[in-house]
Structures are given as structure tokens and as C-alpha cells.
């Protein structure tokens, strides 16, 4: 079964439900930066996200420096943003962070 890219209307609704996330300039991904008190806290967050992503078989693009974790979600099989990205972003938001 093919994974569908979100329509413009679906993308707008998803972003309204995920106010901490931003649409990447090309409209094909969403991004969010999380900040923590230190590296250990950031790494713990990444570990929780990694377990969740592995169970969902949907893996983020991310970057970590000390207490900052930048996450980009896109679905390569769909050629852009999909419902899988929205679901993972919502689950990640449940872990907290700033």
C-alpha cells in the first residue's frame, strides 16, 4: 500500500494540531527544536524517541549538539509529509522538552 503525501488542507490541519512544529521551507517536512538542561537529558529524550520510532518503523532525521535536538520528519516513500509524520510528531510531543 502506497503512503500518500498530505494535501495542502491536511497539512494545514496537521500544523494547527502541532503548534510547536514548523513546516520546512519546501513544504515537504516538519521540524522542531527541543532544548534540555544538559546532554544526558537530551540523549535520554533521543533514546525514548528512537524506541518509539523503531516500533513505528518510521525514523526521524535529527541532529544533536549538547542540550539541543533538532528533528525533521518527512516520509521519503511519499515524497513529503504524510500522516505517519504527523502521528510521530504528536507522540514525540508527549515526551516533553522545550
Amino acid at each position: 500500500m502506497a503512503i500518500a503525501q498530505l494535501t495542502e488542507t491536511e497539512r494545514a490541519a496537521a500544523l494547527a494540531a502541532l503548534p510547536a512544529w514548523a513546516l520546512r521551507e519546501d513544504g515537504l517536512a516538519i521540524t522542531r527544536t527541543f532544548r534540555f538542561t544538559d546532554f544526558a537529558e537530551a540523549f535520554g529524550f533521543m533514546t525514548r524517541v528512537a524506541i518509539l520510532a523503531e516500533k513505528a518503523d518510521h525514523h526521524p532525521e535529527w541532529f544533536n549538539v549538547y542540550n539541543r535536538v533538532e528533528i525533521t520528519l518527512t516520509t521519503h516513500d511519499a515524497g513529503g509529509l504524510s500522516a505517519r509524520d504527523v502521528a510521530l510528531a504528536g507522540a514525540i510531543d508527549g515526551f516533553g522538552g522545550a
Side-chain angles (χ1 to χ4, degrees):
M1 182 168 133
I3 300 169
Q5 191 177 134
L6 296 180
T7 66
E8 189 173 330
T9 302
E10 291 169 331
R11 194 171 55 222
L15 286 170
L18 298 167
W21 293 80
L23 188 63
R24 195 170 66 188
E25 286 183 22
D26 63 7
L28 300 176
I30 53 176
T31 63
R32 181 171 176 194
T33 299
F34 294 82
R35 293 191 187 277
F36 301 91
T37 56
D38 56 25
F39 177 75
E41 191 176 307
F43 191 83
F45 168 78
M46 291 178 72
T47 301
R48 291 190 304 277
V49 171
I51 292 168
L52 178 72
E54 189 65 19
K55 287 180 182 177
D57 192 28
H58 191 57
H59 305 93
E61 298 173 11
W62 55 12
F63 179 77
N64 165 244
V65 174
Y66 183 57
N67 69 335
R68 188 179 80 240
V69 178
E70 297 172 11
I71 299 179
T72 299
L73 297 175
T74 190
T75 302
H76 299 285
D77 291 344
L81 195 61
S82 78
R84 295 183 80 195
D85 303 305
V86 174
L88 187 55
I92 291 170
D93 281 353
F95 289 145

